[in-house]
Amino acid sequence: HASDPVTALRTWADTEANTFGNPEAAAGLYERVLKVDPERTEVLGELARAAFDFVEHTFLWFSPAISNVRFPL
């Protein structure tokens, strides 16, 4: 039982993002931090970074699959 749930959530989110390379999980945890303590606005930057990393990771994962797709003009 953590005495400070916000600190525990931030540590967990940072670990997901930086150690495990899981930006989707990190973003969800940063959102939970904001639900517990909306005044922790410093988390917004981390949430934005995790969201960007997730989109970038998703694009790179799909990129080889769509590289030969041609869209009609």
Side-chain angles (χ1 to χ4, degrees):
H1 211 74
S3 61
D4 180 11
V6 171
T7 300
L9 287 169
R10 284 205 64 185
T11 300
W12 184 7
D14 292 343
T15 301
E16 289 289 352
N18 302 320
T19 302
F20 300 130
N22 189 344
E24 183 179 13
L29 291 162
Y30 290 129
E31 287 177 339
R32 286 175 61 186
V33 167
L34 291 170
K35 285 179 184 176
V36 171
D37 187 356
E39 300 296 316
R40 300 295 289 262
T41 56
E42 74 277 2
V43 173
L44 292 172
E46 297 302 323
L47 176 58
R49 184 176 354 280
F52 176 81
D53 288 348
F54 174 70
V55 170
E56 182 179 46
H57 178 265
T58 302
F59 175 76
L60 290 175
W61 187 82
F62 278 107
S63 184
I66 65 171
S67 63
N68 292 323
V69 174
R70 299 291 178 245
F71 296 98
L73 297 176

